[in-house]
Every structure is written in structure tokens, then in C-alpha cells.
Amino acid sequence: MRLYALFENSSGLSLWEIKNFDELSDNLPEFQKACDEIGRFAELVKLKHFYPFNSPAEVLENLEALASGTTVTPALQSLIETAFPLEKAQRKRKKYVLGVQDSKIGLTLSEHFNIGTRSDSSVLQVMRGLRTHSRKLLGDLNKVSMKESYVASAHSYSRSIVSFNPNRSSTMILHSISSYDQLDKDTNTALMRLKEWYGACFPELSDIVTHPLQYARLTLAINDRARFVEEKENEERFSEILAIVGDNDVVEDIYQKAAFSKGVTYNEVDLEACMTFAEVVVDIISFKDIDKEYLCDKMNTVAPSISAVGGELTGARMIAKVGSLGNLSKLPASTAQILGAEGALFKAIKKKRPTPKHGTIYNEPHVVAVSKKDKGRMSRFMANQIVKAARYDFFAKKPNRIYGEGLAELAQDRVDFLNTGKKPRQADVVMKDVIRKLQKYEEEQEIEMVTTEVVSDKEDADLVMEAVPVVEEPKAEPKAEPKAEPKAEDEMEAIAETPKKKKKKKKKDKDAEVEGETPKKKKKKKKKDKEGEVDGETPKKKKKKKKKEKTPKKDRKRKASDL
């Protein structure tokens, strides 16, 4: 068997002939050693043809095509048609084989050229040797330009992969929810530490204010408790605390508890360290709120139906568990139900115990709203609804919240049924209403698109007209024509001619009526005459035929004898 290896790098495409490939593939460990040494490897390979790339765009096109394995570029086709023995390979597919690195591009080339391809471990070993020693084997290329071309092609290829990634929006959600959960844990830990630290100075404050951000800001506003009590009549301090808490009674309670607190008094150094830590806690909590706002906006853009059904946080956590919105849309409801409880699931299977009924979906608002005994049933129902919403969001051209709101109505009806026994509405009734709303929404979107296109076209035309300088064309002077004065006699004759013509027409119509033929009958006659002409007979010939039919044979003989 004669193997030809197709090798690509950032400088171009090359085709190499591998000598004694059958013997080398039988002794793979020895072949691996030969690939590591440039001297031995150079004896095994022979360059048949090299196709250099002319531009970075051509480099990127060929690298993407070889990576995807679905298309044959003009450069690749030119290389194979020039250097590879196509006619022999098409007749003897097993004797002349093309070695490629990826089986996908091998299948594409095999179907395109009707040749045999190979991409096993021995071929990959050849590719490894070519990639290791390509700089020395291709000696005409400059090493500096080779290095620069490697870096440039790697960067452009990476950018193209990221830009064409269909899950790039889901990736933002994945990172955002991961950072939010981490900040949530850090906030709880830091706030607990701050309460213990500042609680030694003012322990009653944690009983009055429970909100994390309010507590951290109050520690900064109060600072030294003894000084805070002394400056009770300070209006700026009072308004600052009122802005944080929002209730006069709570502010009065803080002042009263601070005056009779059982906490110790910190010195300036200890108090400054505590205030520095409180500032860090405020920053963490503020950034967590900012991250949550961004996450909600992103979820309403990428997965609006999931946000409407299960909430932004629950939907984002489920997307993060499976990796992307597309993966979530492909899951069955039974798998989506236990996302986040994989450890408990495998543990239950191993010990042959009942499997968990819910995972991340346990914190979904509709599941939280039902009693403990109904949480399993509600989790399965909500998993079903969320998967439906994920499929709509992933496959719809322009996803919106309408479908998700319809599913949320069904979920709320199920919650009411489990809690109060109220009979829920049928799904088809709700979905018909949803379909009607979707049709109306699509019509409105089409109208908006048309109006925006018209407005943009008008704006573009106005800009073009403003950009083009207006050139005034010279006005052509009218030619002086000789004016003929109308004569009085000519005018009188023209006026007199029109009624005469009308009179003539009336006379003709009257003559026709007198003869017994109206103008309508005349028209019918003309039509008949035309039909006769079409048949090939004129009206005169028809009359002669009729006369002949009427006259008997005897009369004809008499007429002949008379003649």
C-alpha cells in the first residue's frame, strides 16, 4: 500500500509520500522512535507538492474547513488533483490511500474524489512527525514568518470559533450564575463575620435590622457607638440613617438601644479595622445585586419563556448544570427534575434506596408554594414545563415571554389544585389563547419591521440628497413662435361643423330604421360576415350556394338548353 499524507499548517497545504508504510505500521514502537529523530524521519517521507497560502483569509478558510470536515476548499482540491494519483487511486482504492488526521474530512474527501482514506493510529503518528519536523523539512520558509503565521492563524481561528459558537449567549448566563452563587456564599460568610465582629460593640443592632446590606451600611453610618449616642441631635446623621432604614420608628429604636447597649467600646485601631471590613461587605453585596440585574436581563433576552415559568435564577442554574440552553432543550423532564441531585441519585442507586424527587428545581417558586407531600409531583410538573419553555426559546426565531406566561398560568392552576382542590383549566384552552396572542405579536412585529425599513430608507435617501450637491441647470429660453391671429370666419366655421356631423349620423340611423334594419342588426350582420370569412367563404359565395340548393335539376337543364 502507498500512503500519501495530507498535512496542513499556517503556511500552506502539503502532500507527503510515506515510504514503506506497511512495514512501519506493523512495528509501531520503532516507527514512533523514527518519528522523534529528524534524520530517520526525513528518509521515510518525501514531499510531493506544497500549496502556499496567499492571505490570512485563505488560511482561516482552509483551517475551518479541515476542522469541520464538511467542505473541500479550492486549495485542497487543487493540491489533490495536482499531486495525488487520482486515476490510480480510483481504480485501486486499497493500494493508493490518502492519510488524514480527522476521520470527518477523510469521509468528505472519499465521497468527493471516490478514493480511499485512512486516519488510524499509524497515520496519526505520521502527522505527529510532520508537525514536529515541518520547519526543517520545509526549509524554504523563514522561521520568523512561520512563527508569526502560527500565532496569527491561531488567534483568527480562535476568534472564529468563539464568534460562531451557538451557545455563546448561554455561556454568559453560565458564568453569571456561577459568580452570583459564589458571591451569595461569600456574602453570607462575610456578613456573619461582620455581625460577630461589630456585635461585640453593638449586639442589639442585628435584632433590629436583618437585611444584609442595611446592616453593613448601618455599621458604617453608626461607627463608634458612644459618639453616635452623643450626636443624637445631629440632623445629618439622623437623615443618613433614615435613608438606609426608611422608617422613623426604627431609627428611634436604634438610638434608644445604642444608649443602653451592653456592648464594649472599641479603640480607634480596632474600630477602623472593623469599618474597613464593613466597606468590603457592602461592595460584595452591591456587586451581587448588580450581577443579579445583569443575569435577569440576560435570561429575559436569551430564555424569556424559562424566566416566565420558573424564574431567572432557577432557569439559569438549570442551564449551568447542563452547559447550554440547547442541551437543556434536549433533556427529558425526568432528567431535568433531578438536575443538581446527581450525587444523591447515584448514592440511592448504589444502596438500592428511593431516588431523589427534586434537585435544583426544589427552590422554584411554584414548588416552594406547595406542601411537603406534593413537592415531588409539583417538581415533575415544573420540570416538564421548563423543558417545554427551553425548546421554544432555543428553536424559535424570536423567543418571547408569551409562551412562558401561558405555561406559568398552568403551573399556578396546578398549585391552586394541590393546595385548595380548585379544578385547573384544561391545557388546550390555555394554549389556544397563547397561540392567538403569539399570532397577534408576530403581526405587530411585522408591522414594526416594515415601518422601520420605510423610515430607514427615507433617512438614507435624505442623507444621500444632503450629500449630493445640487447643481442648478441653466434654464432654456423659450423660442419665439410667430403668433397667428385667429380669424373670425374660421372660428365660425369650426363651431358650425360639429353639429352638422351629428345631424348626418342621426340621418343615417333613421334611414337604416326605415329600411327595417336597426344599427344593432347591422352589427350582427357584420359579425356573421366575419365568421364566414374565417371559415374560408365570403358572403357572396354563401348566397350562390343557397340559390343552387333551391333550383332543381330540371330547371338547370332547361336553362342550359335555352343557352
Side-chain angles (χ1 to χ4, degrees), residues 105-141:
I105 190 66
L107 182 62
T108 304
L109 292 171
S110 178
E111 293 175 354
H112 187 78
F113 294 106
N114 191 21
I115 58 175
T117 58
R118 186 169 175 174
S119 59
D120 54 3
S121 59
S122 55
V123 174
L124 294 179
Q125 193 63 35
V126 173
M127 296 297 177
R128 185 178 70 84
L130 288 171
R131 200 166 296 280
T132 305
H133 307 297
S134 59
R135 289 189 182 183
K136 294 180 180 179
L137 293 172
L138 299 170
D140 295 337
L141 295 173

Side-chain angles (χ1 to χ4, degrees), residues 142-149:
N142 190 5
K143 292 183 180 180
V144 177
S145 62
M146 191 81 166
K147 184 178 179 181
E148 290 175 355
S149 62

Side-chain angles (χ1 to χ4, degrees), residues 6 14 34 52 128 161 185 189 193 210 218 232 237 255 284 303 307 333 342 384 408 438 455 459 470 480 487 528:
L6 175 65
S14 57
R128 185 178 70 84
I161 292 297
K185 293 177 183 177
T189 306
R193 185 62 55 205
T210 57
L218 278 173
K232 183 179 180 180
R237 182 69 67 87
Y255 273 106
I284 293 172
S307 303
E342 292 83 1
N384 194 9
L438 284 171
V455 171
E459 289 176 355
V470 179
K487 293 181 181 180
K528 287 178 181 180

Side-chain angles (χ1 to χ4, degrees), residues 201-254:
C201 176
F202 191 5
E204 293 83 6
L205 184 62
S206 59
D207 298 331
I208 300 169
V209 179
T210 57
H211 192 273
L213 187 58
Q214 286 183 357
Y215 184 88
R217 286 179 176 174
L218 278 173
T219 56
L220 292 171
I222 295 170
N223 204 331
D224 188 1
R225 180 176 54 80
R227 195 182 303 164
F228 172 71
V229 174
E230 291 174 2
E231 296 176 356
K232 183 179 180 180
E233 296 178 359
N234 191 344
E235 293 181 0
E236 292 181 2
R237 182 69 67 87
F238 185 86
S239 60
E240 183 182 359
I241 294 173
L242 181 62
I244 296 169
V245 178
D247 191 356
N248 287 324
D249 296 336
V250 176
V251 176
E252 291 293 338
D253 193 16
I254 290 171

Side-chain angles (χ1 to χ4, degrees), residues 459-471:
E459 289 176 355
D460 294 340
D462 294 339
L463 290 171
V464 170
M465 292 301 291
E466 288 175 5
V468 175
V470 179
V471 180

Side-chain angles (χ1 to χ4, degrees), residues 151-183:
V151 174
S153 61
H155 288 180
S156 59
Y157 182 68
S158 300
R159 280 195 298 271
S160 67
I161 292 297
V162 172
S163 62
F164 290 110
N165 183 12
N167 300 323
R168 57 185 180 275
S169 299
S170 303
T171 306
M172 299 299 107
I173 293 171
L174 191 148
H175 293 309
S176 181
I177 190 62
S178 300
S179 62
Y180 177 81
D181 290 339
Q182 187 62 45
L183 287 169

Side-chain angles (χ1 to χ4, degrees), residues 229-447:
V229 174
E230 291 174 2
E231 296 176 356
K232 183 179 180 180
E233 296 178 359
N234 191 344
E235 293 181 0
E236 292 181 2
R237 182 69 67 87
F238 185 86
S239 60
E240 183 182 359
I241 294 173
L242 181 62
I244 296 169
V245 178
D247 191 356
N248 287 324
D249 296 336
V250 176
V251 176
E252 291 293 338
D253 193 16
I254 290 171
Y255 273 106
Q256 189 176 3
K257 293 285 177 67
F260 301 97
S261 176
K262 57 186 178 181
V264 299
T265 304
Y266 283 154
N267 56 32
E268 292 182 1
V269 177
D270 296 338
L271 191 61
E272 186 178 355
C274 184
M275 292 302 107
T276 304
F277 184 68
E279 290 176 359
V280 174
V281 174
V282 170
D283 292 340
I284 293 172
I285 296 171
S286 301
F287 184 72
K288 188 186 82 168
D289 295 338
I290 293 168
D291 190 16
K292 185 178 179 181
E293 289 178 6
Y294 166 76
L295 179 62
C296 293
D297 292 340
K298 198 69 179 175
M299 281 293 295
N300 286 318
T301 304
V302 177
S305 293
I306 294 177
S307 303
V309 179
E312 290 85 1
L313 296 177
T314 304
R317 287 191 181 102
M318 294 182 75
I319 290 172
K321 286 290 180 184
V322 294
S324 67
L325 179 62
N327 293 342
L328 181 61
S329 65
K330 298 170 188 175
L331 290 181
S334 58
T335 306
Q337 181 183 354
I338 57 172
L339 284 175
E342 292 83 1
L345 174 66
F346 294 124
K347 190 176 180 180
I349 292 170
K350 186 178 180 181
K351 295 186 176 182
K352 297 181 180 179
R353 292 178 180 176
T355 56
K357 296 180 180 178
H358 32 62
T360 306
I361 206 169
Y362 184 81
N363 295 320
E364 200 273 331
H366 295 95
V367 179
V368 173
V370 298
S371 60
K372 188 177 180 180
K373 65 177 183 179
D374 295 325
K375 284 190 185 294
R377 296 169 65 187
M378 196 64 204
S379 297
R380 183 54 177 268
F381 182 82
M382 286 310 303
N384 194 9
Q385 303 297 84
I386 288 171
V387 170
K388 286 180 185 176
R391 289 167 186 166
Y392 179 79
D393 289 335
F394 184 69
F395 292 105
K397 292 181 180 178
K398 292 182 180 178
N400 52 71
R401 292 178 64 90
I402 297 172
Y403 185 74
E405 288 170 357
L407 297 176
E409 290 177 10
L410 292 173
Q412 188 59 44
D413 291 348
R414 181 58 61 96
V415 171
D416 296 339
F417 171 72
L418 293 174
N419 290 339
T420 62
K422 182 181 176 182
K423 188 177 179 181
R425 290 178 294 171
Q426 291 184 353
D428 58 347
V429 176
V430 179
M431 286 296 108
K432 283 179 182 178
D433 190 23
V434 169
I435 291 168
R436 191 162 49 251
K437 288 179 182 177
L438 284 171
Q439 290 174 350
K440 187 178 178 181
Y441 174 77
E442 288 175 359
E443 290 174 1
E444 291 174 356
Q445 290 293 317
E446 288 178 0
I447 292 167

